[in-house]
Amino acid sequence: MSDLLIAIVGENFVLMGADSSQTRSVLMLKDDEDKIMTLDSHKLLGGSGEQGDRVQFTEYIQKNVALYQLRTGIALSTHAAANFTRRELATALRSNPYSVNLLLAGFDASATDAGNGTASLYFIDYLSSLHKVNFACQVQCFFRSLSHHPISISISPRHASAPTSASLIIIIRIER
């Protein structure tokens, strides 16, 4: 298993990147796996860990955040989404634990901040501890080193329908 997930908070943005490989032991199964989920137009959830646990849990969080917004008409703040994610991971820890580490990044526009808004990043580990951080890196590497592969960085819009201020995501791809 090999996972790389990194994020850095700036003044009014969060930069998040992840590798795109899916491995099992020394075998590369896929090289186009998306490990960063879009929760809404201003929030991203990056996950690392076992493939099945990561996909199931991140999709569960993505769908429940969307369901909350549909029911109430109010989008969760980044802080609220992080606490909801931590609570769901803690509940699962007591019955059927997920082997997943998460980074939740978002930008919250607020009226009290003169329209500027704030960017935030939350680190959530598999034991459901939650920390607000300015930068984070999660690396799980076995049987190989990422330092022997060239790194390319591409800038592309994530969704054409998203606002221009939230639609630009920088993708860091480690070439094999």
Side-chain angles (χ1 to χ4, degrees):
M1 176 176 58
S2 172
D3 284 325
L4 169 67
L5 190 59
I6 187 168
I8 302 168
V9 177
E11 185 176 332
N12 57 2
F13 68 91
V14 178
L15 175 69
M16 184 182 285
D19 74 319
S20 60
S21 66
Q22 178 190 345
T23 59
R24 180 75 177 168
S25 184
V26 295
L27 299 175
M28 171 89 69
L29 302 176
K30 288 175 68 177
D31 65 353
D32 61 349
E33 184 74 20
D34 192 7
K35 297 179 182 176
I36 301 175
M37 305 279 294
T38 304
L39 296 183
D40 64 21
S41 63
H42 292 83
K43 282 184 258 332
L44 296 174
L45 179 65
S48 65
E50 292 294 329
Q51 174 21 346
D53 288 349
R54 179 180 46 80
V55 170
Q56 184 178 5
F57 187 74
T58 55
E59 285 182 356
Y60 172 77
I61 295 298
Q62 180 186 40
K63 303 307 180 201
N64 276 283
V65 167
L67 179 63
Y68 179 85
Q69 187 170 0
L70 285 173
R71 283 184 176 168
T72 64
I74 301 169
L76 287 174
S77 67
T78 306
H79 181 72
N83 279 289
F84 170 73
T85 303
R86 190 212 67 80
R87 191 192 67 202
E88 291 300 317
L89 198 55
T91 302
L93 182 64
R94 290 163 181 80
S95 59
N96 188 14
Y98 292 100
S99 177
V100 62
N101 295 310
L102 305 165
L103 294 179
L104 194 144
F107 180 82
D108 295 318
S110 64
T112 60
D113 206 14
N116 293 336
T118 57
S120 54
L121 174 66
Y122 292 89
F123 176 93
I124 309 166
D125 71 357
Y126 72 103
L127 294 174
S128 68
S129 66
L130 172 69
H131 301 282
K132 184 175 181 180
V133 294
N134 290 325
F135 59 91
C137 182
Q138 296 176 355
V139 182
Q140 298 176 351
C141 297
F142 300 109
F143 302 115
R144 65 189 181 110
S145 170
L146 296 175
S147 63
H148 299 298
H149 302 289
I151 297 175
S152 67
I153 298 175
S154 62
I155 301 175
S156 62
R158 181 69 148 197
H159 298 290
S161 62
T164 56
S165 63
S167 63
L168 191 63
I169 295 176
I170 299 175
I171 300 169
I172 301 172
R173 181 180 169 101
I174 298 171
E175 301 293 330
R176 305 282 174 216

